[in-house]
Amino acid sequence: MNEAFHSGSKGYPVSLRRNGGFPMNLRTTGFLLRPVVLVIALVHLVLGVLGFFFLPEANEVGENTVWIFSATGMLDVIRTVIGVLGLVAAFKPSAIPAYSWLVFVAFTGLTAFGVLSAGTDSAGDAVNLNWADNVLHGVTAFLALVVGVASTRVSRRKQSKTRENV
């Protein structure tokens, strides 16, 4: 029997029982962050690109939405840029920490602005956020925070391992 696949007392293969029995090693933790970043990127990229087809200049008032989310020029640009940067980060894992912290800060700000903006119906608002946008931005900010903390821990562990090996 191959020792790498031998099951130990914790029920996990020996190759996965690292760091005091925690079932994930550094490689699998980093591997699990990529799909989360990819989902964030694809959701915002799709909303951003589709939003360009539903701009208020081409539609009647109130019809500038993609499903339940607002579609304004500025918001579509923000979503498209976040989506493209996320695709780059998903395929270049070393960019995941920077991307996740950027998304966390940006979408925390958008959520705060959106909550204040949705409470008042200002006609001159260039972003025109609604409550569905606020929920999406809040969930995105939370996921980015989780990915940012996890990816920072992974990179710090990798640095400490290389220091120990030197």
Side-chain angles (χ1 to χ4, degrees):
M1 182 188 304
N2 187 354
E3 185 168 324
F5 295 104
H6 175 66
S7 190
S9 62
K10 301 223 186 251
Y12 301 110
V14 173
S15 63
L16 292 180
R17 282 187 290 124
R18 305 277 188 250
N19 305 325
F22 191 70
M24 290 187 223
N25 62 16
L26 298 177
R27 195 175 310 151
T28 58
T29 305
F31 179 74
L32 292 175
L33 298 177
R34 292 176 75 183
V36 176
V37 169
L38 190 60
V39 167
I40 291 171
L42 289 176
V43 166
H44 287 285
L45 185 62
V46 167
L47 286 174
V49 170
L50 286 178
F52 287 116
F53 296 107
F54 297 98
L55 289 176
E57 295 84 24
N59 297 312
E60 294 181 25
V61 175
E63 292 184 10
N64 55 336
T65 59
V66 175
W67 190 38
I68 58 173
F69 303 105
S70 296
T72 62
M74 184 181 295
L75 193 54
D76 295 333
V77 168
I78 292 169
R79 286 180 175 154
T80 303
V81 167
I82 291 296
V84 169
L85 290 175
L87 288 177
V88 170
F91 292 107
K92 185 176 181 186
S94 62
I96 288 177
Y99 173 76
S100 59
W101 289 114
L102 170 77
V103 169
F104 170 68
V105 169
F107 280 90
T108 300
L110 267 176
T111 304
F113 176 78
V115 167
L116 296 174
S117 174
T120 62
D121 241 357
S122 175
D125 186 10
V127 182
N128 192 24
L129 297 171
N130 61 25
W131 286 107
D133 293 315
N134 295 336
V135 171
L136 175 68
H137 298 159
V139 168
T140 301
F142 175 73
L143 287 175
L145 175 65
V146 170
V147 170
V149 168
S151 63
T152 303
R153 285 184 176 200
V154 168
S155 64
R156 285 187 180 166
R157 285 181 186 160
K158 284 181 182 178
Q159 288 174 357
S160 68
K161 273 201 171 246
T162 56
R163 287 182 192 152
E164 289 174 3
N165 292 337
V166 173

